[in-house]
Structure formats: C-alpha cells, structure tokens
Amino acid sequence: MAWVSLILAGLFEMFGVAMINKLHKDRNLQSLLLLFIGFGASFLFLAYAMKTLPMGTAYAIWTGIGASGGAIIGMLLYGESKDWRRVVFIAMVLGAAVGLKLVS
C-alpha cells in the first residue's frame, strides 16, 4: 500500500504543478484552492508512504514523478518543447525512480 500511496503522492504533485501554471494565468480563488488541494494531498500521501518506505527512496521517487510529470504536462498541455533530448532525459529520471524501487 505504501507504493500506491507514493505513486498517488507523485500524481498529486503533478496536479499541483499544473495548478501553479493555471493560477499564474487565471489568478482566481478556484485555481488557488486547487493548487493547495493538489500539494496538500501530495504531502499527505507522501507522509503515509514514508511510514513504511525509506525516506531517501520515497523522496527521490516522489520528486522524480513530480518533476518528470510536470515536464510532460508542460509538453502536452502548454506547448513546451518536445525535443527528443528532453524526452530522453525525462525517461532517464523515470528509469532512475524504477531502479530505486527495484533495489529497495
């Protein structure tokens, strides 16, 4: 269950990052509330996962999901560069997260 919580934490982290961009564009209360909900849920799921998983592994995977997910959201929804080198480095981040799970 800790790994499911950690993945949920990463997905909510991605949502929170997307809401930062939405808040920057819209500047309304709904965007602000969604941002707080996204990051709040992310931290709650991360805290739950860290009750079982080692802190270093949990934090690295959570950060990897959030960072690579934020980059993917930017490419898909906000017209950021889809250069093949960017995709390779995002894959490397995700590969490192999978590798951490395999060795822990």
Side-chain angles (χ1 to χ4, degrees):
M1 193 66 183
W3 286 104
V4 172
S5 296
L6 186 58
I7 291 169
L8 284 172
L11 294 174
F12 276 110
E13 179 79 4
M14 290 170 49
F15 178 76
V17 169
M19 291 303 102
I20 290 173
N21 195 29
K22 182 171 173 39
L23 180 65
H24 181 70
K25 289 181 178 185
D26 294 342
R27 298 253 179 219
N28 59 31
L29 183 60
Q30 179 187 11
S31 298
L32 182 64
L33 289 174
L34 289 172
L35 180 136
F36 281 124
I37 288 168
F39 284 124
S42 177
F43 286 123
L44 286 173
F45 280 111
L46 177 63
Y48 179 77
M50 287 175 63
K51 288 181 179 180
T52 305
L53 301 173
M55 185 264 315
T57 302
Y59 183 73
I61 291 174
W62 174 72
T63 303
I65 293 171
S68 58
I72 291 168
I73 287 172
M75 288 189 297
L76 296 177
L77 301 180
Y78 299 112
E80 293 181 7
S81 170
K82 296 177 180 86
D83 184 67
W84 68 271
R85 291 171 288 202
R86 235 181 137 186
V87 174
V88 167
F89 287 116
I90 290 169
M92 288 172 65
V93 169
L94 292 174
V98 170
L100 279 172
K101 186 204 181 307
L102 293 175
V103 300
S104 62

